[in-house]
Amino acid sequence: MEAGKKLDLLALSSVPLVMTLGNSMLIPVLPLISKKLYISSFQVSLIITVYSIVAIILIPIAGYLSDRFGRKMVMVPCLIIAGIGGAVSGWASWQMDHPFMIILLGRVLQGIGSAGAAPVVIPLVGDMFKDDEEVSAGLGLTETANTAGKVLSPIIGAVLAAFIWFMPFWFIPFFCFISVLLVVFLIKVPKNKKNEKQSFKKFAHCIKDIFKENGRWLFAIFIVGCIIMFVLFGVLFYLSDMLEEIYQIDGVRKGLVLAIPLLALSVSSYVAGKKIGESKQLMKTVILIGMGLVTFSFVAIRVQHSFLFLFAFLVITGIGIGITLPSLDAIITEGIEKEHRGTITSIYSSMRFIGVAAGPPAYAYFMTVSEHLIYYISGGVSFLAVMIVMLFIKPKNDPQKDSDSKQMPKLA
């Protein structure tokens, strides 16, 4: 990989890192916010959920706009909007007696910004490289930045909240500003040889054709991505609350504890991105192994859930999710033509955000019913993901290396 491209990738990786910090950084702080604002666990979970719901709705639109007008033209303004959203939430927490609704408004703005920033990263990596192996490695790096954000976020959030409980909101515009500078000055977007602008009608017809030909494996990937984020953010929400309520682990200590399984996720994501190459069959195998590990972990936790046992298997869960994510990214990116890659990968990102949105409130409800229900649901949906991959993602023999190839090998 060229040195210049590596610099581009590092700058581009700041976007998922910043967007992840802006969301996951709040996870360890949610119980504290609940106490400060005198709101329920369900209400405080909405701080994550409203952000994600807005992103779900707007991500496909942002993907279309990035295909039509350019990746940076969409990414930079959206990073600025996300920063403004963080400032609104921070100001309301600081100045208002009853800030909850305005905090949610700020989170809505963050969701708008996130919709046009992080999801554009995946197709841009695909645009930057011709070789499928380099695309896989690039996606592994950006997914690692995403997961690294998840590792750092509970620690950073807990440290900031130790000073003032609403300080994490104020750091969101700071992180966004850094990312804007990196994107504007370091990322060089490849010129698209096709300068013609498609009409929306023609564009919609092309998307319909893509789903007609590839819908079977595309929908399978969408559902698996949704399941992963549902389990990940649901378990993080549950773990954050449990550490504080049952084990009296809070503040920075809680942030450090939450970071351990996320570190396993980050490292395994980086390694998988480097190793999977361009073989679609290998990608499928890695996804099956990853989701199989997640399923096994929750079955094991249900049998024995002492603190150390629980944590050991949550680390295994992190490894399973970590090796799965780059493989999903690579299959979907390498299987779609460049001119429609932004839209299709944005729909995929939108499905992931459905999982992010649903996880915390769903697990908040499960916690009121039974701790065991959390393990049943987590293991059950993870096993469902395994079955979906086995039945609906069926690569045939990988094709000869062809730099002009735009289509994924036919899937049954």
Side-chain angles (χ1 to χ4, degrees):
M1 193 181 293
E2 301 169 23
K5 289 285 181 70
K6 286 183 178 178
L7 196 61
D8 282 19
L9 270 178
L10 288 172
L12 188 59
S13 296
S14 73
V15 179
L17 175 63
V18 165
M19 292 296 104
T20 302
L21 283 171
N23 202 24
S24 302
M25 188 168 57
L26 300 174
I27 291 283
V29 190
L30 291 180
L32 179 60
I33 294 174
S34 178
K35 292 173 185 175
K36 291 290 184 181
L37 301 184
Y38 302 101
I39 56 178
S40 67
S41 292
F42 176 79
Q43 285 176 301
V44 81
S45 74
L46 294 178
I47 291 176
I48 302 296
T49 298
V50 295
Y51 168 96
S52 305
I53 288 174
V54 173
I56 290 163
I57 296 168
L58 296 181
I59 280 172
I61 298 171
Y64 166 69
L65 293 175
S66 78
D67 281 335
R68 187 174 173 85
F69 299 109
R71 312 299 188 204
K72 283 173 73 170
M73 287 290 290
V74 173
M75 192 181 291
V76 172
C78 286
L79 280 168
I80 294 170
I81 293 170
I84 293 170
V88 168
S89 295
W91 177 86
S93 304
W94 176 34
Q95 294 290 342
M96 297 180 67
D97 292 330
H98 304 287
F100 181 59
M101 294 307 296
I102 305 302
I103 289 173
L104 292 184
L105 174 62
R107 295 291 290 167
V108 167
L109 289 174
Q110 269 189 265
I112 293 170
S114 179
V120 177
V121 169
I122 295 176
L124 184 50
V125 172
D127 295 346
M128 288 166 58
F129 301 101
K130 290 183 179 180
D131 184 72
D132 284 353
E133 196 162 338
E134 288 189 329
V135 171
S136 296
L139 289 170
L141 181 61
T142 56
E143 195 64 71
T144 300
N146 191 352
T147 52
K150 291 182 176 67
V151 175
L152 295 172
S153 54
I155 300 171
I156 295 173
V159 169
L160 293 173
F163 291 98
I164 304 173
W165 68 270
F166 53 79
M167 188 66 77
F169 290 126
W170 281 111
F171 265 67
I172 291 166
F174 170 74
F175 291 138
C176 288
F177 176 70
I178 299 295
S179 186
V180 166
L181 292 179
L182 291 172
V183 170
V184 169
F185 292 109
L186 294 181
I187 294 178
K188 299 172 288 295
V189 180
K191 290 183 179 178
N192 194 341
K193 293 179 182 178
K194 295 184 179 181
N195 294 319
E196 55 184 301
K197 306 285 188 187
Q198 280 187 326
S199 68
F200 184 79
K201 184 176 179 181
K202 185 178 179 182
F203 167 82
H205 182 71
C206 289
I207 296 300
K208 182 181 176 183
D209 287 346
I210 288 171
F211 276 101
K212 186 176 180 181
E213 183 175 350
N214 303 295
R216 186 184 178 94
W217 64 268
L218 279 175
F219 283 119
I221 289 174
F222 293 166
I223 294 169
V224 174
C226 178
I227 287 172
I228 287 174
M229 291 298 144
F230 173 79
V231 171
L232 178 60
F233 274 81
V235 167
L236 284 175
F237 181 82
Y238 159 69
L239 194 57
S240 177
D241 189 78
M242 184 190 70
L243 289 173
E244 198 160 315
E245 296 298 322
I246 299 177
Y247 298 103
Q248 285 75 54
I249 300 173
D250 56 11
V252 178
R253 286 195 308 148
K254 183 170 77 170
L256 290 168
V257 171
L258 286 171
I260 294 170
L262 292 171
L263 178 61
L265 193 157
S266 181
V267 171
S268 59
S269 179
Y270 176 76
V271 172
K274 296 282 284 184
K275 297 295 183 183
I276 54 176
E278 56 186 85
S279 169
K280 308 301 183 299
Q281 187 60 56
L282 177 59
M283 292 172 194
K284 175 180 176 178
T285 302
V286 170
I287 294 168
L288 285 172
I289 293 171
M291 295 313 297
L293 285 174
V294 177
T295 305
F296 169 73
S297 296
F298 285 108
V299 171
I301 291 169
R302 171 61 189 90
V303 174
Q304 166 60 264
H305 45 269
S306 65
F307 180 74
L308 290 177
F309 200 86
L310 168 71
F311 224 79
F313 279 97
L314 286 179
V315 168
I316 294 174
T317 296
I319 293 171
I321 291 175
I323 65 175
T324 300
L325 288 174
S327 301
L328 290 173
D329 293 349
I331 286 181
I332 201 167
T333 304
E334 295 169 20
I336 300 298
E337 295 181 8
K338 284 189 176 183
E339 55 266 35
H340 301 303
R341 195 174 279 159
T343 302
I344 300 300
T345 56
S346 291
I347 295 171
Y348 166 60
S349 295
S350 188
M351 290 298 294
R352 282 173 59 156
F353 267 100
I354 290 175
V356 175
Y363 277 66
Y365 169 73
F366 301 152
M367 287 158 59
T368 65
V369 178
S370 167
E371 182 184 6
H372 293 164
L373 183 61
I374 291 170
Y375 308 136
Y376 290 135
I377 295 291
S378 301
V381 296
S382 299
F383 181 70
L384 175 63
V386 171
M387 298 306 298
I388 288 170
V389 173
M390 288 182 66
L391 294 174
F392 297 106
I393 301 179
K394 296 184 178 180
K396 296 185 179 178
N397 294 330
D398 288 314
Q400 297 289 329
K401 288 185 180 180
D402 179 7
S403 61
D404 296 324
S405 177
K406 294 181 180 177
Q407 278 289 88
M408 187 175 174
K410 293 290 183 183
L411 290 107

